[in-house]
Amino acid sequence: MLETEHTFLSDAPTASAGGHDSAGSDLVASIVGRCRDTRALIGRCEPLEVHVVHQSRKNLKKIRAGIKLLSDADGLDLVEANRLCRDVGRLLSELRDTDVCLLTLEGIDPGLAYFGDLAEKLRSRRVDLHDDRLPDDAAYSEIVADLQAVEAILGDIDHGHIGREDLERALRKTRKRARKRYARMDAGGNPHAYHDFRKATKRELYQARYLGADPQPGGRLEQLDRLGECLGHNQDLIVLKQMARELGAFDDRLAALIEDERSTVRAECRRLAADLYGRDR
């Protein structure tokens, strides 16, 4: 599996050959490197294996987090770059949802003693999706073209003047947004609040990693990672429920298992979120 973190900043500002803070240029180089990693990862695997789809989607989220960090740091117009990344993610999303449903189902029904039929439907769905969309030459070409376009957009912007302080200020904006989404989640009543909060916390995590934050045990990065996994599991359970209904395999037993698991997961999400984004944080 190709996995490169592309973390580039130390505690001290990075200096270019001319003695200037080159943090913005370093960030662009890091994002472009991840775009190239993603193209290589997808292009050398046919058919697309589970870990390739997962890692590619993860890479795209990290690329988008970096793009947002750049945009917030200097008001750069990077809407098109973000849209292109989102389009690539959508080409992979149904495969990823099917893979996640299988893994989640195995987690709540080890050995698939009760839901073997649903598991088989999910496996068949993945085969059908793959035959319909990948390794379709047009889909591969679109992925490559979109990522290359992102690289070109980043190569054309004026980023040399963006320093570490600008990026750290942008990260604080991200954290502030996440805190607002936490408040909405904590207030209840919004069915999408957990998912929206998850996206905000993942963005903070990925941006902090770009900035070279210290991954000390028990530190903020580790807590963000744990919270993101917990919120992700909650979302996976929602997707499993939706897909089981689509496949005509949703029954009372599965409904009870999913709701019991979500109750436990959400309690843990709230506990972790309060530690990171509570009133006094």
Side-chain angles (χ1 to χ4, degrees), residues 38-204:
T38 306
R39 285 196 283 116
L41 182 63
I42 293 173
R44 72 185 186 194
C45 183
E46 185 180 333
L48 290 183
E49 298 172 0
V50 172
H51 80 271
V52 173
V53 174
H54 171 69
Q55 190 59 50
S56 297
R57 292 262 296 166
K58 194 173 181 179
N59 281 354
L60 288 164
K61 291 174 183 177
K62 292 176 180 179
I63 292 166
R64 292 179 68 188
I67 288 170
K68 182 62 175 173
L69 188 61
L70 269 176
S71 178
D72 282 346
D74 195 53
L76 294 169
D77 182 4
L78 295 173
V79 173
E80 179 65 9
N82 185 65
R83 183 193 66 77
L84 289 165
C85 289
R86 189 172 62 246
D87 287 349
V88 174
R90 285 172 177 166
L91 286 170
L92 302 171
S93 61
E94 288 191 84
L95 279 170
R96 177 60 184 154
D97 285 350
T98 306
D99 295 338
V100 162
C101 284
L102 269 170
L103 292 171
T104 304
L105 187 61
E106 290 168 355
I108 63 176
D109 181 24
L112 299 174
Y114 298 105
F115 301 110
D117 288 346
L118 174 55
E120 189 55 40
K121 288 182 178 181
L122 288 168
R123 293 188 190 100
S124 296
R125 185 177 189 274
R126 191 183 198 281
V127 170
D128 291 343
L129 284 171
H130 201 288
D131 288 346
D132 286 346
R133 303 188 183 187
L134 298 166
D136 178 82
D137 289 341
Y140 274 122
S141 296
E142 184 176 348
I143 289 171
V144 170
D146 284 353
L147 289 173
Q148 287 177 330
V150 172
E151 295 168 31
I153 290 170
L154 293 173
D156 286 342
I157 63 174
D158 179 14
H159 48 70
H161 63 284
I162 300 174
R164 184 184 179 97
E165 288 187 3
D166 300 315
L167 297 176
E168 289 179 339
R169 184 175 61 251
L171 176 59
R172 289 193 292 273
K173 288 182 183 179
T174 295
R175 189 171 297 166
K176 185 176 180 180
R177 292 189 194 102
R179 189 173 288 114
K180 288 180 178 178
R181 291 192 183 186
Y182 163 69
R184 287 198 290 270
M185 184 195 77
D186 196 45
N190 182 349
H192 305 294
Y194 278 83
H195 185 49
D196 291 342
F197 179 51
R198 178 201 178 198
K199 289 188 288 187
T201 61
K202 282 290 188 182
R203 179 172 291 169
E204 181 187 343

Side-chain angles (χ1 to χ4, degrees), residues 6-21:
H6 294 290
T7 301
F8 61 90
L9 293 179
S10 63
D11 289 338
T14 309
S16 66
H20 302 295
D21 183 348

Side-chain angles (χ1 to χ4, degrees), residues 118 238-251 254-255 259:
L118 174 55
I238 293 172
V239 173
L240 174 60
K241 183 177 180 178
Q242 293 170 341
M243 196 165 293
R245 280 178 170 160
E246 290 175 12
L247 295 173
F250 189 69
D251 59 22
L254 182 58
E259 290 311 308

